[in-house]
Amino acid sequence: MEVARNLGTSSHLIDSCEDIQPEWLENVKTIALTAGASAPECLVEEVVEFLAAKGFTNVREVEVMPENVRFGLPPEIVEAIAAAPTAGVSAD
């Protein structure tokens, strides 16, 4: 949103399609919809369906950057796992 605004483009931060104001769509021909990695896919699909019902039916999905971010465990948990005794398996 900040990038679009810095470029002089109207942009809005929403939590759901219910946040979209009708006046935002007046005289608009193209909408770019972006979502963060933590946004549930069903939420994005809900917004796309809402916009389709408003006449925005030509949808193209564009991958700008491949998602390859991995979130590691916090160091405290890694240390606790390493210090934990192994499961009760013996090699008798």
Side-chain angles (χ1 to χ4, degrees):
M1 182 188 78
E2 291 175 8
V3 172
R5 282 194 178 161
N6 288 339
L7 294 172
T9 302
S10 177
S11 64
H12 307 280
L13 181 62
I14 62 169
D15 290 319
S16 75
C17 65
E18 295 170 359
D19 294 338
I20 299 172
Q21 302 298 311
E23 59 269 17
W24 297 349
L25 304 177
E26 291 176 5
N27 302 314
V28 172
K29 294 181 181 177
T30 303
I31 294 175
L33 175 65
T34 63
S38 63
E41 184 65 25
C42 62
L43 179 66
V44 175
E45 291 171 2
E46 177 185 278
V47 173
V48 170
E49 289 172 12
F50 174 87
L51 293 171
K54 300 293 182 187
F56 297 93
T57 56
N58 184 9
V59 177
R60 277 192 315 149
E61 186 170 344
V62 178
E63 184 176 346
V64 177
M65 286 182 85
E67 292 184 38
N68 58 5
V69 176
R70 302 207 191 286
F71 297 95
L73 294 172
E76 299 83 7
I77 295 177
V78 173
E79 291 171 12
I81 292 171
T86 57
V89 177
S90 69
D92 290 332

